Amino acid sequence: MPKELNELYQAWDPDEAVPDELPDEIIRFYRTLSTREMADWPEEIREPLIERHVSPEWLKIGGQEAANRYQLHDEVRDAGPMPDVPLIVLTATAIDPFKEAVTQGIPTSLLHEEAEAKTRLYTALAKSVAHGENRVIDDAGHVSVIFRRPDAVLQAIQDLLGS
């Protein structure tokens, strides 16, 4: 990852970033994003998901997961080699509205460098097994890939099941 971006992420404190009481404008903002992304989903699925996405609990958990990434990196390194099983990695590289929301103030050039670094990292991960493949999804971000490219997600699952 770009050094400058890594330093910014390391300085980030999720406990400070997500207060117990979220301002209404933040809830409305995330509700609007989620509603737009899931507009075609059935209401009985869409509405409960949106409610979870805008809850302080959900946002805090997301912040904690982001803060724990270095611990996760260590766990992955310590786990040993990848098992030699079919693997398809979907690398979503777009800077979508969700990414924009959580990276306000970070130069777009750094976010593009981050996407390039992720692509290199995930390609290396896929190449670490005999039947690994990294599929780059340029028109969706990490959060929005399941909303914007369910076809790519489904195709990867079908391809793995057919392996």
Side-chain angles (χ1 to χ4, degrees), residues 5 9 95 99 103 106-116:
L5 186 59
Y9 287 163
I95 301 170
K99 181 75 170 181
T103 58
I106 296 176
T108 303
S109 60
L110 275 181
L111 299 178
H112 286 296
E113 285 183 49
E114 177 187 41
E116 291 169 7

Side-chain angles (χ1 to χ4, degrees), residues 2 4 11 13 33 35-36 47 49 53 59 70 84 92 95 102 104 107 135 151 159-160:
E4 183 181 349
D13 182 353
L33 281 181
T35 299
R36 188 178 322 133
E47 293 308 316
L49 280 175
H53 274 90
L59 291 170
Y70 297 107
D84 192 14
I95 301 170
V102 298
Q104 291 181 12
R135 297 180 184 175
D151 61 311
D159 290 348
L160 285 172

Side-chain angles (χ1 to χ4, degrees), residues 144-157:
S144 64
V145 70
I146 60 169
F147 308 128
R148 294 182 179 193
R149 293 299 310 279
D151 61 311
V153 175
L154 180 60
Q155 187 63 57
I157 292 168

Side-chain angles (χ1 to χ4, degrees), residues 27-108:
I27 293 172
R28 282 192 305 273
F29 173 78
Y30 279 107
R31 185 181 307 283
T32 299
L33 281 181
S34 297
T35 299
R36 188 178 322 133
E37 292 296 332
M38 293 186 256
D40 296 336
W41 290 38
E43 182 178 352
E44 63 272 11
I45 295 171
R46 180 184 63 240
E47 293 308 316
L49 280 175
I50 290 171
E51 288 308 311
R52 290 297 290 164
H53 274 90
V54 300
S55 71
E57 175 191 23
W58 189 284
L59 291 170
K60 274 199 175 292
I61 289 169
Q64 290 166 346
E65 288 175 351
N68 291 339
R69 72 186 168 284
Y70 297 107
Q71 177 185 344
L72 176 62
H73 295 171
D74 292 340
E75 289 176 15
V76 170
R77 282 185 197 102
D78 293 343
M82 289 280 292
D84 192 14
V85 296
L87 171 69
I88 297 174
V89 180
L90 300 179
T91 302
T93 61
I95 301 170
D96 63 10
F98 292 97
K99 181 75 170 181
E100 289 173 351
V102 298
T103 58
Q104 291 181 12
I106 296 176
T108 303

Side-chain angles (χ1 to χ4, degrees), residues 127-148:
K127 286 182 177 182
S128 72
V129 296
H131 303 288
E133 177 185 354
N134 182 20
R135 297 180 184 175
V136 178
I137 311 293
D138 289 325
D139 56 351
H142 173 77
V143 173
S144 64
V145 70
I146 60 169
F147 308 128
R148 294 182 179 193

